[in-house]
Amino acid sequence: MAQELWAYLQSQGKKLHGSAAKMASEVKRATRFFSGSPCGVLFHDNPAVVDELKNYGLEKIYFFHLQEELTPEEMAGQIFSLAEINDPEAIFFAANAKGSEVGARLAAKMRKKLYANVIDYEEKGKELIARKPLFGRKGCGYYPITAERPHIATIYEDALDAIATRESKKVELVYPGCSQMRPGARRLKRWKLPLHDISLQEAAIVIGIGGGVKDKSFISEIQELAQLLEASIGGSRVAVSKELISPGEQIGATGEFLSAEIYIPLGISGSNRHTVGLRDVKRIFPINKDKNAPIFKFSEKGAVTDIHQVVPLVKKHLQEKMAKKGDDNENSSMC
Amino acid sequence: MRIALCVKPIPDPELVQFDIHKEKFSSLVWGIYSADLGAMEEALRIKERFPAEISVFSVSPPYRDPHDLDALQAAYFYGADRVVRLWDLGYEQVDGFTAGAILAEEIKDKGFDLIICGDKSGDTGDGYFGAVLAECLHLPLVTGVVNIEIKKEQLILDKKLERGYRETYDTGMPAVVTVDESINNPRYVALLSKAYQEGIKKEIENKKIMEQTIKNDLPNPCLKVSQWKPRTKGGKDISGLSMTDMMKMLRGEKGDKKEIFSGPSRQVAQQISDTLIEWLS
């Protein structure tokens, strides 16, 4: 049987998770270090989604066609059964919460070591070495890859990149049957915390309040904007000193570190003490009246304007757009 | 109820630094930190609600804390009934896989109802120790737990997902549970407190690791350490980049042209809301 390298391609509801294309690229990249053709393993209810992955160099996708989302335990069990038949050379996961758990469970089931959080591989003579972070990002450790197969690894998220190939390629779809499993723990429900209970560290969208906010009377405007965006509120140390936010809402060196998709700092200059808490934020949109504020160095987009004038207008625009979107949805459902 | 709490003493992750001259980590203050501390606190809270006995296990060398005490002694300050170290190996360290296999051999068939540990190691960030333990013991496993309820013989567990989402699981006992660091705020045990004074007198049991448990599970030691080095992306040489530019690259900005809006407030507000809606879709 031809050797294969597998990547777990994560779903998110009806769509593919942001890491799926990155992991497709990663397994293609892994052919530099391991022998095998790049393949994916995907659990989803709609085979059409594989079209989104045709530009990333995959040759095959093992597609588990399922109506219900499996637990990580069940996914690991299915991949285990598939691996016993097909004997891959290596299996890779993104080192996010789900990928890490499925990878860990699979490695444990297969009685193989898991190389967790691999930043990159290096060849040293005939030896292959994995580089991993230690103590957050304070340093790196170098670990030899043993000869045991399959090699199972989770790849450090920041190391991943979705790199499209020049040509799209028809990916062979294989539909493995699902083996019967009896999970050890039963999932009862999935639910979401109320917005005010979501920690800053977990929040997808965060609005930051800075010293540029004149006084407490403006906070209610910001809170209304946060409600619209389903955002949490944090801020700078200066905002804490001015009692605009509580100490628990401080972002930065002596406060919380964000991992948000979007951070909107309002009137925050962007001192190092604050920006150190933003290194995992995906997108930053500062709004500040000072065009030379250091915070603008950390963003692709931003606005130089008076937050006290613009925030109420942004709120109004968003309310109108969201109301219009609601009307459009209602009209389309009536057709 | 019998609880097995599995911990790994590490250097305090907040204090540790990388010494670029000596090419090693410095400021090593050994103790029980991060998610393991959360697991310990959670075990204590269960003991406060139910009759329970807590046995702490660790596969680790005898590191000393800043007061020159065994780093595991803290488990007694926190209220553990028994603390067991498994060591006596020629290695400086073991990985999560080896440690899990060793501990499983030690605690199997000992009648523990709940086996609890931290979700991730605070030094390596590895999170598969719990999975190895559960697999070796053939027990159910729930990871990333942020709330534990015990009802009769069942565990009702809330698991943390991303972005404020949670899942609730139920399982019978015995089971393996790994806890997220955010599960609780661990108590502080003051130096001259009664808990400290009593805990300092208790003995840690040191046991040899049975060789047969590791003959096929050799540890995978770290060859060397270095300062932080991210993956080079897009063929770029990052050695000359400032920290600011490196952060930009890690966020995927790759030197894209900036778009900073300015002008009349109405116009800028429109541009801001258009951008946010595009980003949110």
Side-chain angles (χ1 to χ4, degrees):
Chain A
M1 188 177 282
Q3 284 176 325
E4 293 178 342
L5 309 180
W6 293 358
Y8 165 61
L9 308 171
Q10 201 173 320
S11 301
Q12 188 169 35
K14 296 285 179 192
K15 300 192 276 192
L16 289 174
H17 189 266
S19 66
K22 293 179 183 179
M23 284 309 298
S25 297
E26 184 66 17
V27 73
K28 170 79 177 160
R29 183 180 186 273
T31 57
R32 291 186 212 173
F33 305 107
F34 300 91
S35 306
S37 55
C39 306
V41 179
L42 176 60
F43 298 82
H44 207 277
D45 65 354
N46 179 11
V49 296
V50 303
D51 271 353
E52 295 174 40
L53 298 169
K54 64 181 182 230
N55 291 334
Y56 297 99
L58 291 174
E59 294 191 12
K60 185 193 287 183
I61 292 180
Y62 290 96
F63 190 95
F64 286 90
H65 195 176
L66 298 163
Q67 298 307 314
E68 259 186 46
E69 190 189 335
L70 299 185
T71 64
E73 179 186 5
E74 289 165 331
M75 278 191 225
Q78 298 300 337
I79 299 174
F80 173 72
S81 301
L82 188 65
E84 284 209 299
I85 300 166
N86 293 282
D87 200 22
E89 184 74 359
I91 310 175
F92 300 98
F93 300 82
N96 54 33
K98 189 183 242 182
S100 296
E101 183 175 354
V102 180
R105 287 179 181 267
L106 177 68
K109 280 185 94 64
M110 299 188 85
R111 296 290 198 272
K112 304 290 181 200
K113 291 194 190 293
L114 175 71
Y115 291 80
N117 277 321
V118 174
I119 300 167
D120 210 347
Y121 295 95
E122 298 175 5
E123 281 166 323
K124 195 178 174 189
K126 288 185 183 170
E127 212 175 16
L128 191 60
I129 312 283
R131 183 168 87 250
K132 290 151 51 90
L134 293 176
F135 299 104
R137 289 175 223 204
K138 292 190 177 177
C140 292
Y142 295 76
Y143 298 80
I145 305 298
T146 62
E148 69 172 7
R149 292 294 180 261
H151 169 72
I152 304 177
T154 66
I155 308 297
Y156 190 65
E157 276 196 281
D158 279 353
L160 294 171
D161 221 350
I163 302 170
T165 54
R166 286 199 187 130
E167 296 162 3
S168 61
K169 192 172 182 170
K170 189 164 164 54
V171 182
E172 183 193 350
L173 272 191
V174 173
Y175 294 90
C178 264
S179 41
Q180 284 293 326
M181 280 189 59
R182 207 174 52 163
R186 187 171 59 131
R187 181 170 56 197
L188 300 177
K189 59 178 178 176
R190 177 177 291 178
W191 46 285
K192 193 171 181 183
L193 286 173
L195 189 58
H196 57 264
D197 283 341
I198 298 176
S199 69
L200 281 174
Q201 193 276 327
E202 264 191 277
I205 307 171
V206 178
I207 295 177
I209 295 177
V213 171
K214 275 189 200 143
D215 54 46
K216 283 186 186 177
S217 62
F218 192 64
I219 299 295
S220 58
E221 284 284 353
I222 298 174
Q223 284 170 339
E224 285 169 25
L225 178 62
Q227 285 275 13
L228 271 178
L229 295 172
E230 292 187 26
S232 299
I233 295 177
S236 65
R237 197 157 76 103
V238 173
V240 172
S241 329
K242 283 173 81 170
E243 295 183 1
L244 297 171
I245 57 170
S246 68
E249 292 166 326
Q250 185 179 327
I251 297 164
T254 50
E256 297 291 330
F257 279 53
L258 304 184
S259 62
E261 301 296 322
I262 301 171
Y263 177 53
I264 308 167
L266 303 175
I268 293 182
S269 63
S271 71
N272 288 341
R273 294 180 67 87
H274 182 74
T275 54
V276 76
L278 310 182
R279 65 185 186 190
D280 291 329
V281 173
K282 308 294 181 297
R283 285 164 151 160
I284 301 174
F285 194 107
I287 305 175
N288 195 306
K289 64 181 182 187
D290 178 6
K291 67 179 182 194
N292 296 314
I295 192 76
F296 287 110
K297 289 187 206 164
F298 297 91
S299 63
E300 298 167 35
K301 291 194 175 188
V304 177
T305 188
D306 183 344
I307 53 172
H308 302 90
Q309 296 205 4
V310 94
V311 164
L313 293 170
V314 169
K315 209 180 61 173
K316 186 165 170 261
H317 281 299
L318 287 174
Q319 279 166 337
E320 283 166 7
K321 281 202 192 310
M322 286 173 181
K324 186 172 180 298
K325 198 174 173 184
D327 288 343
D328 287 346
N329 286 343
E330 204 181 287
N331 286 337
S332 66
S333 70
M334 286 165 68
C335 294
Chain B
M1 186 181 195
R2 299 194 67 216
I3 300 172
L5 168 65
C6 305
V7 300
K8 174 187 167 190
I10 58 168
D12 188 341
E14 307 265 313
L15 298 177
V16 79
Q17 299 291 332
F18 187 78
D19 185 329
I20 58 172
H21 302 293
K22 293 181 183 169
E23 290 197 352
K24 61 180 193 174
F25 286 103
S26 62
S27 306
L28 304 178
V29 178
W30 292 93
I32 299 170
Y33 299 106
S34 307
D36 279 359
L37 196 55
M40 178 167 293
E41 173 66 32
E42 204 59 30
L44 289 168
R45 292 183 185 191
I46 292 171
K47 188 178 174 181
E48 285 163 358
R49 299 196 316 259
F50 304 95
E53 179 194 275
I54 301 173
S55 299
V56 174
F57 296 92
S58 182
V59 180
S60 59
Y63 296 115
R64 310 298 286 181
D65 76 3
H67 306 287
D68 200 30
L69 293 173
D70 191 314
L72 284 181
Q73 198 75 34
Y76 280 128
F77 308 152
Y78 280 100
D81 298 291
R82 184 181 169 227
V83 177
V84 180
R85 166 184 285 109
L86 297 118
W87 197 243
D88 195 29
L89 283 178
Y91 308 102
E92 284 185 21
Q93 55 188 267
V94 291
D95 56 30
F97 185 87
T98 310
I102 291 168
L103 265 172
E105 195 59 34
E106 172 66 22
I107 68 178
K108 74 178 184 187
D109 302 327
K110 298 273 175 30
F112 288 105
D113 302 292
L114 174 63
I115 296 118
I116 186 169
C117 61
D119 203 20
K120 272 190 240 190
S121 172
D123 51 358
T124 61
D126 290 353
Y128 67 111
F129 170 80
V132 173
L133 205 53
E135 197 58 39
C136 293
L137 293 169
H138 307 290
L139 291 179
L141 166 72
V142 182
T143 63
V145 170
V146 288
N147 190 54
I148 299 176
E149 271 181 51
I150 301 173
K151 288 186 176 170
K152 295 181 186 172
E153 298 293 317
Q154 290 291 110
L155 290 169
I156 311 292
L157 305 159
D158 288 342
K159 175 192 172 82
K160 181 178 176 182
L161 302 180
E162 292 173 334
R163 304 296 180 214
Y165 281 93
R166 303 285 185 265
E167 281 179 340
T168 301
Y169 285 79
D170 81 352
T171 182
M173 289 190 272
V176 177
V177 172
T178 76
V179 306
D180 186 84
E181 194 174 352
S182 63
I183 188 171
N184 53 44
N185 284 320
R187 67 198 66 188
Y188 171 71
V189 177
L191 261 185
L192 299 175
S193 63
K194 187 178 171 198
Y196 181 88
Q197 298 296 338
E198 286 175 0
I200 206 168
K201 297 174 198 162
K202 296 184 181 175
E203 295 271 330
I204 294 170
E205 296 174 43
N206 287 291
K207 293 175 96 168
K208 284 191 179 194
I209 295 167
M210 290 177 285
E211 283 207 24
Q212 61 267 31
T213 60
I214 64 157
K215 69 172 184 221
N216 292 324
D217 298 311
L218 288 173
N220 198 28
C222 181
L223 297 175
K224 69 167 191 176
V225 295
S226 75
Q227 60 181 308
W228 170 244
K229 183 182 168 189
R231 182 188 288 193
T232 306
K233 287 195 173 186
K236 281 189 181 175
D237 174 11
I238 60 163
S239 55
L241 288 181
S242 65
M243 186 54 71
T244 309
D245 288 344
M246 256 196 257
M247 277 177 60
K248 274 196 219 171
M249 181 182 273
L250 286 171
R251 281 202 307 272
E253 287 176 32
K254 296 188 191 121
D256 291 341
K257 200 175 165 189
K258 277 196 190 306
E259 198 174 0
I260 306 295
F261 305 123
S262 59
S265 297
R266 283 194 186 281
Q267 175 192 304
V268 172
Q270 182 76 60
Q271 289 166 321
I272 294 171
S273 62
D274 287 345
T275 303
L276 290 177
I277 285 180
E278 184 199 325
W279 284 3
L280 289 167
S281 63

